[in-house]
Amino acid sequence: MNTAVTENKILNSVNILAVYRQIRQTSLDLCASLELDDYGLQAMPEVSPPKWHLAHTSWFFETFVLKAFAGDYQPFNPSFEYLFNSYYHGVGAQYPRAQRSLLSRPTLQDVLDYRTYVDTAMTVLLALSGHAQRETLLKRCELGLHHEQQHQELLCTDIKYSFSSNPLYPALGRAPQSVQTARIPPLEFREYGVQDACIGYKGSGFHFDNESPVHRYHLPQFRMANRLLTNREYLDFMKDGGYSSPGLWLADGWLWKEASNASHPHYWVQRDGDWFEYTLYGLCRLDPELPVCHVNYYEADACARWFGKRLPAEQEWEAACRQEGQVPGHADITLHPRVAGNADGLVQMFGSLWQWTRSSYAPYTGYRPAEGAIGEYNGKFMCNQLVLRGSSCVTPPGHARASYRNFFYPKDQWQFTGIRLADDP
Ligand SMILES: [Fe+2]
């Protein structure tokens, strides 16, 4: 999948149509290996069927761009406003999230036709260089493209969760030939001095509203790990009774662990004493050098405590990222994280696994969501969730930033999440 869209370079009156087509095509490319039978899978309420993702991303453009800015636009099917509305009460009622797998109609072909219909109308609209609200509609289109990229990541994480329920462990793609030659760097803690860090998005490019306003944040000295924890290190935690030591766990985490009977990361499978891991390449023998993934906040926090460390605050992560000049690479989506590169300094900040922080997902002082239904995009979720920083192997190129704030509930395991430790001096 070639999605060579560079960070914050999407909005451009000249290239917007080419970028639009490229990002929309990537969603289809991610589904290229699916069978018709796969498109309705939804193994739990939090994940959505691939067909729903393909429809909902089109719904976003139809609802927030075409209906708003293309005066003569006729909806593809008026009932889709309800079927594919995710959570926007300002738009109207929504079909129940947990029942999306029941939508055998519209068919996949209907949804693909819907995408084509929306793309045709978008092509006409984007060609209107003299549109009275040109700047505003381009910005809304840009938001739609970043929204589509978020759903491309969700396509991968949701397919993985649903496929994992099948004892045949289907694959979404073929594993690349291993080119691993170097040893991973030893786990080290890098020192950062007291500072008034610049936190939030500063610049003129695209960013989500939750990254603003940019502000100064006082940080005492701290230390942060150079890389993510590996499967081997997580196994050490498990073998030392990590899942049976209540002193290591938050109260909510222990309740979750007891209720779910968890004793290992979600996609790990033990056979005849050996550990395997379900990946989007299928079931693979657990590689001890790969970063441990699909741990929830409770597991990450307990493991950090076993190490005698803690998870970083989101401001520490962002300050260290900027101080060390870390920027997202532009590698394509891969379906599983790679072994850490043996480089000096911080590694695996982007493109490997989202990293849990101990920071609650809350508004920055002065945060103001947009007016209207589009203001429901981020702000209304700022309660009871934790911030994750970085990006993952299934984050589309060009989508990540140092100031990017992802967020999930502490129990969630189906995202590509890992552990970077931090410490006090
Ligand atoms: Fe969405």
Side-chain angles (χ1 to χ4, degrees), residues 17-320:
L17 186 56
V19 175
Y20 175 89
R21 286 175 172 152
Q22 186 182 47
I23 290 177
R24 293 280 285 168
Q25 182 61 41
T26 297
S27 301
L28 299 176
D29 291 346
L30 284 170
C31 298
S33 69
L34 295 181
E35 300 291 346
L36 185 60
D37 315 67
D38 300 327
Y39 278 91
L41 286 174
Q42 183 182 23
M44 68 171 171
E46 287 89 341
V47 307
S48 296
K51 188 173 73 175
W52 189 90
H53 283 296
L54 293 178
H56 165 71
T57 47
S58 302
W59 173 94
F60 194 95
F61 284 107
E62 181 172 74
T63 302
F64 293 118
V65 183
L66 292 168
K67 288 182 180 177
F69 299 103
D72 58 350
Y73 179 75
Q74 296 297 314
F76 178 78
N77 182 330
S79 66
F80 285 11
E81 178 172 300
Y82 167 68
L83 289 182
F84 300 119
N85 180 359
S86 51
Y87 53 68
Y88 295 89
H89 299 297
V91 173
Q94 305 112 44
Y95 181 81
R97 181 186 188 188
Q99 296 174 27
R100 290 171 183 166
S101 67
L102 301 180
L103 295 173
S104 63
R105 312 298 168 90
T107 65
L108 175 62
Q109 189 57 55
D110 293 334
V111 167
L112 295 176
D113 290 345
Y114 179 38
R115 287 184 71 87
T116 301
Y117 182 87
V118 166
D119 290 346
T120 301
M122 284 295 298
T123 300
V124 172
L125 182 62
L126 291 173
L128 296 176
S129 57
H131 192 288
Q133 296 174 282
R134 173 83 172 164
E135 282 301 307
T136 311
L137 84 84
L138 285 180
K139 285 194 180 303
R140 190 64 64 80
C141 178
E142 187 179 38
L143 177 64
L145 292 173
H146 284 270
H147 171 259
E148 181 111 9
Q149 288 183 311
Q150 288 184 315
H151 278 273
Q152 287 165 3
E153 175 148 6
L154 291 171
L155 263 170
C156 296
T157 58
D158 294 6
I159 290 168
K160 182 170 186 177
Y161 189 86
S162 292
F163 272 1
S164 76
S165 306
N166 185 336
L168 299 179
Y169 294 118
L172 184 65
R174 193 175 300 170
Q177 292 288 324
S178 176
V179 292
Q180 168 70 14
T181 53
R183 302 292 300 172
I184 63 170
L187 185 64
E188 293 175 345
F189 286 82
R190 300 180 64 77
E191 310 267 352
Y192 301 93
V194 61
Q195 58 188 292
D196 286 316
C198 178
I199 300 297
Y201 184 75
K202 182 181 183 183
S204 57
F206 177 84
H207 60 285
F208 287 109
D209 59 4
N210 60 7
E211 299 165 56
S212 65
V214 65
H215 57 283
R216 289 280 166 187
Y217 189 93
H218 182 73
L219 284 173
Q221 281 183 289
F222 66 99
R223 304 199 304 155
M224 202 169 81
N226 59 328
R227 61 163 171 80
L228 304 181
L229 287 187
T230 63
N231 287 327
R232 175 182 283 113
E233 288 157 344
Y234 199 83
L235 267 171
D236 290 342
F237 158 71
M238 287 168 52
K239 288 174 183 170
D240 196 42
Y243 280 84
S244 54
S245 304
L248 294 173
W249 293 75
L250 293 166
D252 283 358
W254 188 255
L255 288 174
W256 165 82
K257 188 203 76 74
E258 293 287 285
S260 63
N261 209 23
S263 59
H264 53 76
H266 181 74
Y267 289 122
W268 286 22
V269 178
Q270 195 168 31
R271 288 184 174 170
D272 300 325
D274 294 326
W275 284 105
F276 293 79
E277 178 178 28
Y278 174 64
T279 76
L280 282 169
Y281 303 132
L283 192 65
C284 303
R285 186 175 289 275
L286 189 75
D287 184 337
E289 307 244 293
L290 286 174
V292 60
C293 60
H294 297 288
V295 285
N296 68 19
Y297 178 76
Y298 300 133
E299 292 170 302
D301 179 80
C303 184
R305 194 164 291 113
W306 180 79
F307 269 89
K309 308 296 183 188
R310 61 172 173 81
L311 298 176
E314 65 167 319
Q315 294 87 357
E316 291 173 334
W317 192 100
E318 185 171 338

